[in-house]
């Protein structure tokens, strides 16, 4: 039996390469701005923030929306680029679909929880990616510093409004969500995380 040659990343097959890496390693793989980005499995506190957000948001959503993990969002007009937010609020019909990619206009809220090792540059690039794609709202939660940033109104390649806060302050989610999310119980990374 012959072994197929390894896939080499190049424009037009980055999504295929990312899927192969994900299957082989179990890592979360995304293609952001033409670069293959791999993320380790979330640690306890990272997963704890996502869990708390989902538990708070889910019961308050209208029936036509769901909060889901491991849903990827595509970049319009780019066959390669996509991201996988930690949590995505999207139409409930997506859960009955065979698709694995959402169109950004169908995403009411994308949530990114910053890993302890993430760099400021990659965080900024990802926020820009969501704005260019046209995702209505992006919530970035940073357990390194106990802060959050809610980005809204994507226009001209950036978010026009950014509301900053710290753990302990409620996050006022916009649009059809129209709910406030408490952050009192959000954990902050320790030195061993």
């Amino acid at each position: 039996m012959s072994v197929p040659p390894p896939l080499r990343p190049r424009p037009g097959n980055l999504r295929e390469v990312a899927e192969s890496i994900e299957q082989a390693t179990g890592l979360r793989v995304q293609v952001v701005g033409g670069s293959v980005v791999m993320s380790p499995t979330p640690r306890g506190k990272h997963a704890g923030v996502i869990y708390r957000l989902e538990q708070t948001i889910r019961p308050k959503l209208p029936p036509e929306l769901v909060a889901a993990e491991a849903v990827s969002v595509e970049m319009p007009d780019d066959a390669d680029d996509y991201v996988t937010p930690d949590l995505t609020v999207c139409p409930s019909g997506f859960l009955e679909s065979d698709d694995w990619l959402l169109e950004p206009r169908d995403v009411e809220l994308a949530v990114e929880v910053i890993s302890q090792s993430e760099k400021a540059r990659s965080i900024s690039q990802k926020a820009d990616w969501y704005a260019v794609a046209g995702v209505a709202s992006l919530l970035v939660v940073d357990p390194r510093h106990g802060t959050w940033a809610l980005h809204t109104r994507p226009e001209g390649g950036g978010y026009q409004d950014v509301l900053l806060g710290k753990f302990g302050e409620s996050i006022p989610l916009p649009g059809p969500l129209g709910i406030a999310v408490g952050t009192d119980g959000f954990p902050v990374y320790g030195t061993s995380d």
Side-chain angles (χ1 to χ4, degrees), residues 2-22:
S2 67
V3 176
L7 290 171
R8 303 234 184 266
R10 66 182 189 294
N13 83 333
L14 292 177
R15 194 175 284 177
E16 183 182 2
V17 169
E19 288 175 31
S20 295
I21 293 170
E22 197 167 88

Side-chain angles (χ1 to χ4, degrees), residues 45-46 49 113-115 141-147 167 187-190:
K45 289 180 181 176
H46 185 279
V49 170
V113 178
I114 303 303
S115 299
V141 181
D142 191 345
R144 298 171 311 169
H145 306 291
T147 60
F167 290 7
V188 177
Y189 295 141

Side-chain angles (χ1 to χ4, degrees), residues 59-78:
K60 298 176 182 177
L61 289 174
E64 64 273 8
L65 294 175
V66 294
E69 293 181 51
V71 173
S72 297
V73 180
E74 66 182 340
M75 174 63 81
D77 304 322
D78 191 322

Side-chain angles (χ1 to χ4, degrees), residues 40-48 116 189 192-193:
T41 302
R43 295 181 182 205
K45 289 180 181 176
H46 185 279
Q116 195 165 16
Y189 295 141
S192 63
D193 285 326

Side-chain angles (χ1 to χ4, degrees), residues 5-193:
L7 290 171
R8 303 234 184 266
R10 66 182 189 294
N13 83 333
L14 292 177
R15 194 175 284 177
E16 183 182 2
V17 169
E19 288 175 31
S20 295
I21 293 170
E22 197 167 88
Q23 287 175 355
T25 65
L27 294 173
R28 184 173 83 172
V29 183
Q30 307 171 87
V31 181
V32 181
S35 297
V36 176
V37 178
M38 294 177 279
S39 304
T41 302
R43 295 181 182 205
K45 289 180 181 176
H46 185 279
V49 170
I50 298 164
Y51 176 80
R52 284 173 176 85
L53 279 167
E54 187 175 1
Q55 293 300 309
T56 302
I57 292 171
R58 182 182 290 153
K60 298 176 182 177
L61 289 174
E64 64 273 8
L65 294 175
V66 294
E69 293 181 51
V71 173
S72 297
V73 180
E74 66 182 340
M75 174 63 81
D77 304 322
D78 191 322
D80 285 331
D81 267 33
Y82 70 96
V83 297
T84 306
D86 289 305
L87 188 65
T88 306
V89 176
C90 63
S92 56
F94 183 76
L95 299 182
E96 304 300 320
S97 167
D98 288 328
D99 296 331
W100 67 279
L101 284 170
L102 267 170
E103 291 187 27
R105 64 179 164 74
D106 290 337
V107 177
E108 292 298 335
L109 175 70
V111 177
E112 289 283 353
V113 178
I114 303 303
S115 299
Q116 195 165 16
S117 61
E118 267 186 274
K119 306 289 183 238
R121 182 171 182 241
S122 65
I123 297 166
S124 175
Q125 285 175 326
K126 215 178 243 190
D128 290 346
W129 188 98
Y130 282 103
V132 169
V135 171
S137 300
L138 170 65
L139 174 60
V140 178
V141 181
D142 191 345
R144 298 171 311 169
H145 306 291
T147 60
W148 54 265
L150 179 63
H151 304 260
T152 56
R153 290 194 330 113
E155 187 179 305
Y159 282 104
Q160 303 306 302
D161 295 326
V162 179
L163 179 62
L164 304 174
K166 58 187 177 194
F167 290 7
E169 298 173 347
S170 291
I171 305 167
L173 298 180
L177 304 177
I179 59 176
V181 175
T183 62
D184 289 340
F186 284 12
V188 177
Y189 295 141
T191 56
S192 63
D193 285 326

